[in-house]
Amino acid sequence: ADLGIDSIKRVEILSAIQEKLPGAPLIGPEHLGSLQTLGEIAAFLTGSATAATAVPETQPVAVAQSAPAQPETAPALMTRRALVHTTAAAFEALPLPLLKDGEILITDDGSQLAAQLFSQLQERGLNARLLAADDDKVIFSSARLAGLIIIAPKEGTDDLFLENAFLLLKRAAPALRQAGELEGALFATVSRLDGCFGCLEGSTLVDPLSGGLAGLVKTAANEWPEVACRAIDLGDFPDQIAAATALADELLNSGAIETGLSAQGRTALTLVDLPAAPIPAWYPVSKDDVVVITGGGRGVTAAAAVALTRACQPTLLLLGRSPEPAAEPEWLAPLSEEPRIKRAILENAGGKLHPKEIEERYQQVIAGRELKGTLEKITAAGGRVVYRAVDIRNSAEVVALLQQIRAEYGPIRGIVHGAGVLADRLITDKSREQFAAVYGTKVAGLRSLFAATTEDDLCFIALFSSTTGRFGRTGQVDYAVANEVLNKLAQDEARRRPGCRTVSINWGPWDGGMVTPALKKLFAGEGVGLIGLEEGGDFLAREIAAADAPVEIVALAETLDDIQTPQPAKSKNLTEAFAVALNLNNYPFLRSHVLDGKAVLPMAVIAEWLAHAALHGNPGLRFHGFNDLRICKGVVFEQEQGCKLKVMAGRAEKRDSFYLVPVELTGVNGDSRLLLHAKAEIVLAARLPEGIRSIKEIPAEPYEPHNGRIYDRERLFHGPDLHGIELVNGCSAKGIAALVKKAPSPAAWFRQPLRSSWLTDPLVLDSAFQMMILWSFERFGSGSLPCFAGRYRQFQESFPKEGVQVVIRISDEQKHGAHADMEFVDRQNGKLIARLEDYECIIDPSLGGAFQRNQLEQHGRVNRGAL
């Protein structure tokens, strides 16, 4: 008690002891009054060692068994996700902070949109200026630059425009970053696809290449956290004035990185989890059909070639940069170790070689051997393979080569475009030549393939895109732009060739190819799994045969450790996000949450405030959920006193496509000592994925409310503001289901709400916890209270106004506690709104008396207004 451990927390601690020492004497509620110290508890346990309930000396006390040794690298599991568009809610008025008196530059394509946007910004008191995207004379070093907006040309984007856009961004970088550190800066691009980034079914993509602009934005967002980065895709509007107005509204307020705008409203992009593609009963190509594979015969494309051969044995045409394999000289053939090969190269060079030249010749030897090995594997698998060295960026060469192949082997029926190069540099350090080389290999190479197969009846087109395009990655701006162009060209080609399976796979890193040992170490440090060559090849073969599947697919490897043990954010340096003076006048809803005569802050409201604290320093991101929300000491106060709380938040740490923010709720006790009330890790996202339901069985056993009403004082202590349960659908030992109401607006509960709408829904969450109280009474005849929530994920920004159905599945139960999983489902369409996994509550008979004392005590008298 001197440590500030209240009776509820003490029950939880003693219940945990009972679970760890199941043979020890039972500590019941009747003992709590006499066991005030650790010494008294220890004396009680050891002093009863000879009693009938004690464990015999010959029987060892149960202890936790050590886990079996794990391999150094956990196995990787392939995940399959699709990119879809969803309707985005209207944004709240959260003005974007910008450098005062700073200039906002807008690229001028001569269209009315650029002129109208310029006028809109000027009318709003901002200093705007138009400039040409290829104007290399503009000086940024001394300018007060508040923003840069790059608009795709109305007449269509080309490769040169994207290159010039990159160079313009590179030159503006120092000024933008300086403004971002001082007050705020904006970098934005405007593409012209369909208002949904190419994801709107049946739409025509106006300018597919403009989709590459989003790659600039997502890379800048990774490299420059101090700059607000936005990618906007503009769809149809009745006129350019309306388009410019919507665009100005969007850019001057905080929002997601990628947002679509059209006359129909705002859209967002969402990754939806998909089941693994089934093992095909047939493939779109058959034996002897010709399939073109770019990227050479090494690494990831080699794995794809071998997988296709095993699946359907087509004739494979491998295109690469390396020369066709030739017989090695006698002095080289028997050697395998790197030092011996390099020494032999030097000794047989016929002249002096620099170290760089030796390395280049060594890499040629290794490339030739890998290519030869791939050809042998394909042949051994029963396939027919042809290799040709060609620069796929040269369209004339590719056209001529495929003409020869058709004459000898037949028409082209499939394309796998896997060619790519890397030249990792930060935006500010990357040269024009590096950008052109990386971009050209992907985009010009694909353009060559399309030009050479215009008359072919293609059955499938599979493009090797990258998660760098989907999420952005530090140092890979050219690769991000190129792969985003690939994604949108795939969307466009799917519309042109409706009978051809077209897919652009945004691969995570593979365990091979361009992923060097140094990159493997980097990915391991980031917790990113590597796709095995065989697993990746099999994934591709299945995806090619997947009927009616989405065009843009995201393929990642997640280790078992990633799935089972979410990693905490690294930074724990927390700062105050906001303070709360908690009292009944400012927060009158607390009169409906009185336990044992004292007001108690609900866990659901704590979750809401922690979420707000995380977003406080991360405008533009969205609340997606939390990990490991633990109530360390409940917030309990007398009516007259109230208390002061601080909500603390740390720095956001990026993990894959999400951001993790450590948060805490703190207060002080009567001696001005710091108290930790609750802690968690908030999960933020640029866009919310779609959820898939996992609880299929809904308890159907009828539930009879105690004394004929759900909110009976003997079981639920909650007052009118928290009467959220409308109907209990069923209750059994396995779980409980009910219909619950949506919370009223925050203004109904708080005198001065932080937001005009909820991030979570505290009434829905609290109602779920109330359902667990009803379940524990049915199961054990005792009440329960929440103490921990392991993993909460929310898939929509708000809960339906009609309320939801809550379905709870019990995963584990003990006499003094239970664990459960909860799903919050739309009543109308059955769509999953949110999921809470590993909810934990304590169960104890002593809570019954505290539940019935649900009226505030004031000056020794009961305040009956709480009822």
Side-chain angles (χ1 to χ4, degrees):
D2 292 339
L3 295 175
I5 300 175
D6 56 36
S7 58
I8 295 173
K9 188 67 179 176
R10 201 179 314 166
V11 170
E12 179 194 352
I13 293 171
L14 298 178
S15 298
I17 290 178
Q18 198 68 46
E19 290 180 11
K20 297 292 185 182
L21 306 175
L26 178 64
I27 302 177
E30 67 276 10
H31 300 124
L32 292 181
S34 59
L35 301 180
Q36 296 289 329
T37 69
L38 294 177
E40 290 170 351
I41 294 171
F44 176 86
L45 295 174
T46 57
S48 302
T50 58
T53 57
V55 182
E57 291 184 359
T58 56
Q59 180 178 343
V61 176
V63 296
Q65 299 296 314
S66 59
Q70 298 293 324
E72 290 185 8
T73 304
L77 302 176
M78 293 288 295
T79 63
R80 179 174 181 250
R81 298 184 175 99
L83 184 69
V84 299
H85 73 91
T86 58
T87 301
F91 54 75
E92 296 186 28
L94 295 174
L96 190 70
L98 294 174
L99 181 68
K100 292 183 178 63
D101 302 324
E103 192 173 49
I104 299 178
L105 299 181
I106 307 168
T107 59
D108 186 7
D109 62 343
S111 69
Q112 189 181 5
L113 176 66
Q116 287 294 334
L117 180 60
F118 168 81
S119 299
Q120 285 277 347
L121 297 183
Q122 292 278 38
E123 290 173 4
R124 299 177 193 214
L126 299 171
N127 182 16
R129 177 159 66 97
L130 296 170
L131 82 161
D134 59 353
D135 185 355
D136 58 2
K137 298 182 178 59
V138 61
I139 299 174
F140 297 101
S141 59
S142 60
R144 289 177 57 83
L145 186 62
L148 173 63
I149 304 171
I150 298 177
I151 301 177
K154 182 181 180 182
E155 302 303 321
T157 304
D158 57 18
D159 300 338
L160 181 59
F161 178 84
L162 291 174
E163 189 174 302
N164 285 329
F166 154 69
L167 294 172
L168 180 62
L169 176 63
K170 176 183 176 179
R171 295 200 310 276
L176 276 177
R177 299 189 67 181
Q178 182 180 15
E181 291 174 352
L182 292 174
E183 295 178 66
L186 167 70
F187 168 56
T189 63
V190 181
S191 56
R192 301 175 186 266
L193 296 165
D194 58 0
C196 295
F197 293 93
C199 295
L200 183 63
E201 277 190 47
S203 67
T204 299
L205 302 195
V206 178
D207 182 9
L209 256 65
S210 70
L213 291 172
L216 291 176
V217 170
K218 286 180 278 191
T219 307
N222 277 275
E223 295 187 16
W224 310 336
E226 66 275 17
V227 177
C229 298
R230 305 290 307 281
I232 310 299
D233 184 40
L234 211 58
D236 290 334
F237 278 90
D239 55 62
Q240 294 304 294
I241 296 178
T245 301
L247 185 57
D249 289 340
E250 187 68 41
L251 293 177
L252 297 180
N253 287 278
S254 299
I257 292 181
E258 293 172 290
T259 305
L261 294 179
S262 69
Q264 287 68 47
R266 304 169 72 239
T267 60
L269 294 181
T270 299
L271 282 178
V272 180
D273 289 329
L274 297 177
I279 298 175
W282 64 277
Y283 287 87
V285 293
S286 57
K287 186 175 176 63
D288 297 331
D289 284 342
V290 179
V291 174
V292 180
I293 301 181
T294 70
R298 307 171 59 195
V300 298
T301 47
V306 173
L308 282 177
T309 299
R310 291 172 178 162
C312 49
Q313 296 186 324
T315 296
L316 299 181
L317 171 62
L318 301 187
L319 305 181
R321 292 172 294 172
S322 302
E324 297 178 34
E328 292 182 353
E330 293 182 2
W331 56 264
L332 178 61
L335 305 180
S336 58
E337 295 86 0
E338 179 178 345
R340 295 185 64 189
I341 294 175
K342 288 184 175 180
R343 179 175 293 277
I345 290 172
L346 181 60
E347 291 173 349
N348 292 273
K352 184 178 180 180
L353 289 179
H354 293 289
K356 182 179 179 181
E357 295 172 311
I358 297 174
E359 179 64 27
E360 289 174 350
R361 295 193 185 187
Y362 168 74
Q363 291 298 334
Q364 290 172 3
V365 170
I366 298 303
R369 290 182 176 182
E370 288 187 28
L371 174 55
K372 185 178 180 181
T374 299
L375 301 181
E376 291 172 351
K377 287 180 182 178
I378 294 172
T379 303
R384 182 167 59 173
V385 61
V386 179
Y387 179 82
R388 294 290 184 267
V390 66
D391 182 356
I392 63 168
R393 295 174 297 180
N394 189 319
S395 182
E397 286 185 16
V398 175
V399 169
L401 175 60
L402 293 197
Q403 286 177 345
Q404 297 173 12
I405 295 298
R406 283 191 203 91
E408 187 171 355
Y409 298 100
I412 312 300
R413 302 305 302 276
I415 291 175
V416 178
H417 182 41
V421 296
L422 292 178
D424 286 9
R425 296 287 191 280
L426 296 175
I427 292 172
T428 52
D429 299 330
K430 194 177 294 286
S431 68
R432 182 174 200 148
E433 291 73 24
Q434 290 167 336
F435 183 95
V438 172
Y439 176 87
T441 302
K442 283 283 185 185
V443 179
L446 180 60
R447 196 176 286 125
S448 296
L449 292 173
F450 283 167
T453 57
T454 52
E455 302 300 323
D456 289 290
D457 183 18
L458 296 179
C459 296
F460 77 84
I461 299 170
L463 309 183
F464 273 46
S465 184
S466 169
T467 51
T468 294
R470 175 85 308 271
F471 305 121
R473 185 168 185 84
T474 298
Q476 295 187 349
V477 63
D478 39 15
Y479 205 57
V481 171
N483 283 296
E484 273 290 74
V485 170
L486 248 63
N487 290 332
K488 306 317 171 188
L489 288 176
Q491 293 277 13
D492 190 49
E493 200 66 19
R495 291 160 170 79
R496 295 175 185 273
R497 301 180 189 249
C500 174
R501 166 59 173 147
T502 302
V503 60
S504 184
I505 304 177
N506 290 247
W507 297 104
W510 286 56
D511 191 6
M514 293 184 291
V515 179
T516 63
L519 277 177
K520 288 182 184 180
K521 186 176 181 181
L522 174 64
F523 288 132
E526 294 178 354
V528 178
L530 297 180
I531 299 171
L533 293 176
E534 187 172 341
E535 290 81 2
D538 180 65
F539 188 101
L540 173 69
R542 293 188 182 197
E543 202 61 60
I544 285 171
D548 300 321
V551 174
E552 292 189 47
I553 295 291
V554 176
L556 287 166
E558 294 185 359
T559 65
L560 289 178
D561 287 342
D562 290 335
I563 297 168
Q564 296 172 356
T565 310
Q567 297 297 314
K570 297 177 181 178
S571 174
K572 294 298 182 182
N573 296 320
L574 308 186
T575 57
E576 181 181 329
F578 60 92
V580 176
L582 196 66
N583 56 59
L584 294 175
N585 290 329
N586 291 336
Y587 300 94
F589 84 98
L590 288 170
R591 297 180 183 275
S592 291
H593 203 257
V594 176
L595 187 64
D596 201 17
K598 299 180 177 61
V600 180
L601 183 64
M603 183 178 183
V605 175
I606 291 175
E608 175 75 19
W609 284 350
L610 294 178
H612 180 78
L615 285 172
H616 183 77
N618 298 282
L621 296 179
R622 299 177 182 182
F623 171 71
H624 182 38
F626 56 73
N627 297 327
D628 301 333
L629 172 57
R630 182 170 293 280
I631 304 300
C632 304
K633 177 174 173 54
V635 181
V636 182
F637 63 95
E638 304 284 350
Q639 177 168 346
E640 297 87 356
Q641 296 175 344
C643 61
K644 293 183 178 180
L645 304 173
K646 290 184 178 180
V647 189
M648 316 291 287
R651 180 182 176 184
E653 296 285 346
K654 188 171 186 184
R655 182 174 175 81
D656 295 333
S657 56
F658 301 115
Y659 299 83
L660 306 181
V661 183
V663 288
E664 292 180 354
L665 177 68
T666 64
V668 293
N669 65 5
D671 297 329
S672 300
R673 288 186 295 176
L674 184 67
L675 294 176
L676 176 60
H677 290 294
K679 62 179 181 178
E681 181 179 70
I682 300 298
V683 182
L684 305 179
R687 62 202 59 81
L688 298 181
E690 186 166 327
I692 298 178
R693 295 180 63 177
S694 62
I695 302 178
K696 304 299 184 183
E697 296 183 8
I698 298 177
E701 290 83 344
Y703 172 79
E704 293 295 333
H706 187 67
N707 292 331
R709 55 182 183 271
I710 293 176
Y711 288 95
D712 174 66
R713 183 175 171 184
E714 293 182 16
R715 294 201 169 180
L716 292 182
F717 61 89
H718 306 76
D721 284 338
L722 294 174
H723 286 187
I725 302 175
E726 295 180 317
L727 174 67
V728 178
N729 303 117
C731 181
S732 70
K734 296 181 179 180
I736 183 172
L739 301 179
V740 305
K741 294 190 295 186
K742 177 180 172 59
S745 69
W749 283 11
F750 305 162
R751 296 286 188 224
Q752 295 179 325
L754 299 169
R755 289 172 173 261
S756 59
S757 59
W758 300 108
L759 292 169
T760 62
D761 189 307
L763 181 58
V764 168
L765 290 181
D766 196 79
S767 297
F769 305 159
Q770 296 172 31
M771 290 165 60
M772 284 299 297
I773 296 176
L774 297 179
W775 176 87
S776 66
F777 268 111
E778 289 293 304
R779 185 70 172 150
F780 296 105
S782 302
S784 65
L785 285 178
C787 59
F788 178 75
R791 187 176 186 270
Y792 174 78
R793 293 295 183 269
Q794 190 169 305
F795 306 105
Q796 293 187 15
E797 291 192 56
S798 60
F799 281 66
K801 62 181 180 180
E802 299 85 5
V804 299
Q805 182 183 43
V806 181
V807 183
I808 299 177
R809 176 179 59 198
I810 305 301
S811 57
D812 181 50
E813 63 177 57
Q814 302 287 337
K815 188 174 182 180
H816 295 285
H819 294 254
D821 297 331
M822 306 174 174
E823 290 190 344
F824 305 85
V825 181
D826 192 309
R827 296 189 193 182
Q828 305 298 320
N829 55 27
K831 189 175 181 180
L832 183 65
I833 306 298
R835 177 188 292 115
L836 175 58
E837 299 171 354
D838 195 20
Y839 167 89
E840 182 180 346
C841 63
I842 58 171
I843 302 173
D844 196 275
S846 66
L847 294 174
F851 283 6
Q852 295 183 38
R853 292 189 291 275
N854 67 339
Q855 304 168 59
L856 288 168
E857 296 177 355
Q858 184 176 19
H859 301 299
R861 299 178 61 186
V862 173
N863 174 16
R864 301 194 178 275
L867 290 177

